[in-house]
Amino acid sequence: MTLLAVDALSKTFSGGTRRGSRGEVAAVVDLTFSVEEGEFLTIIGPSGCGKSTLLRLLAGLEQPDSGQVILQGQPLPDPSDRQGRFGYMPQRDTLLPWRTVLDNVILGVELAGGSRDAARKEARLLLPLFGLDGFENNWPSTLSGGMRQRAALLRTFLAGYDILLLDEPFGALDALTRRMLQKWLLGVRTRFSKTILFITHDIDEALLLGDRMLVFSPRPGRITADLKIDLPHPRDENTILEPEFLALKRNVLAHLKL
């Protein structure tokens, strides 16, 4: 069942008026695709090609110049229509330093007007699954990078949205921590019926995690390939060595022209 449809979405940003400004910059052009309920869609492309702009358009943080976002068959023409419909996690974890881990992860529920007590109870049940058991009273400054990202992901999951927009959640981590969190996320996603759009610059990560992949062109971002990732589950770190995985990777590299 199609949960989300994007139809001919385009966005151009206006530059400043100071000397040396670049004037108008086309970020994305004519993006058209759909996402099925429960699908894990990875999005990959060169830096500056509009991937983050797409998520901001979906989340209602930007308004497209043309095109539309359709959720469950209902067009959402205005940013206010889209705000509060998607769980959005930007590239930085944005944990609040004056709140403990537990109070950080329930923030989305609080802002939506949900019960603080019920959210704290649910969060305590999920802390072990997110590798945060025993750290609920810690300040964010005491956590490792990987733990901060898991806390931010738990906050996003707890907010209760059916569609999660994750903008390079592991991009700032070292390679070993990143591999650990990829393996962790593969396990976590089986516990939740979520639809996920996941931006990454890492081809291995995109193929390992995703059910499907969109490949973006250099700016202005256009979809140059829509690829089904037909790899069996469960997947783990050895999956990236399989012949089927390597064949898919060669195909992606050809579309990226790398």
Side-chain angles (χ1 to χ4, degrees), residues 67-80:
Q68 60 181 341
V69 177
I70 303 167
L71 182 63
Q72 294 179 316
Q74 176 186 357
L76 305 176
D78 298 319
S80 60

Side-chain angles (χ1 to χ4, degrees), residues 8 12 85 111 118 121 142 167 182 187-188 191 196 232 256:
T12 295
R85 301 291 192 101
L111 292 176
K121 182 177 180 180
T142 68
D167 191 351
Q182 289 166 2
V188 166
R191 296 281 299 271
I196 297 175
L256 288 170

Side-chain angles (χ1 to χ4, degrees), residues 3-252:
L3 181 61
L4 172 69
V6 171
D7 182 23
L9 212 61
S10 297
K11 177 66 178 180
T12 295
F13 292 101
S14 297
T17 58
R18 294 179 300 175
R19 183 191 303 183
S21 67
R22 299 180 60 186
E24 292 190 339
V25 177
V28 293
V29 175
D30 197 29
L31 298 182
T32 299
F33 63 94
S34 61
V35 187
E36 300 299 302
E37 186 174 359
E39 190 170 30
F40 196 123
L41 180 71
T42 54
I43 302 170
I44 196 165
S47 294
C49 71
K51 302 184 298 297
S52 295
T53 296
L54 168 61
L55 295 198
R56 291 179 61 83
L57 289 168
L58 293 176
L61 301 176
E62 302 283 355
Q63 174 70 347
D65 300 321
S66 59
Q68 60 181 341
V69 177
I70 303 167
L71 182 63
Q72 294 179 316
Q74 176 186 357
L76 305 176
D78 298 319
S80 60
D81 296 327
R82 300 189 295 279
Q83 291 168 4
R85 301 291 192 101
F86 302 88
Y88 173 59
M89 179 178 165
Q91 293 177 15
R92 296 175 62 87
D93 60 64
T94 64
L95 298 180
L96 301 179
W98 59 87
R99 293 178 69 121
T100 64
V101 168
L102 183 60
D103 286 336
N104 261 289
V105 301
I106 66 169
L107 182 60
V109 178
E110 284 188 88
L111 292 176
S115 167
R116 177 182 172 88
D117 289 341
R120 289 171 70 90
K121 182 177 180 180
E122 184 178 4
R124 289 183 186 279
L125 292 174
L126 290 175
L127 284 168
L129 181 63
F130 281 72
L132 297 168
D133 193 23
F135 290 89
E136 58 267 29
N137 295 318
N138 280 52
W139 303 110
S141 61
T142 68
L143 303 181
S144 68
M147 293 176 75
R148 290 178 66 100
Q149 291 303 101
R150 289 199 298 271
L153 280 164
L154 176 53
R155 180 180 58 195
T156 307
F157 273 78
L158 269 177
Y161 300 107
D162 292 330
I163 303 177
L164 306 184
L165 310 175
L166 308 181
D167 191 351
E168 291 195 78
F170 306 150
L173 302 175
D174 64 85
L176 289 178
T177 303
R178 188 170 187 150
R179 289 296 185 206
M180 289 173 58
L181 287 187
Q182 289 166 2
K183 182 177 180 180
W184 166 81
L185 185 56
L186 282 169
V188 166
R189 65 167 295 203
T190 63
R191 296 281 299 271
F192 299 91
S193 55
K194 301 289 186 183
T195 303
I196 297 175
L197 281 70
F198 184 104
I199 289 176
T200 179
H201 282 98
D202 187 323
I203 298 174
D204 286 359
E205 182 171 80
L207 292 172
L208 184 65
L209 297 176
D211 302 314
R212 215 175 103 224
M213 178 196 293
L214 298 182
V215 181
F216 272 40
S217 69
R219 188 175 62 230
R222 295 178 170 87
I223 297 172
T224 60
D226 186 337
L227 307 174
K228 182 174 177 58
I229 304 174
D230 196 14
L231 297 170
H233 288 277
R235 301 174 190 169
D236 57 28
E237 61 273 15
N238 294 314
T239 301
I240 66 175
L241 304 175
E242 297 293 336
E244 296 84 0
F245 184 97
L246 296 175
L248 284 169
K249 185 173 182 177
R250 282 192 292 270
N251 189 21
V252 175

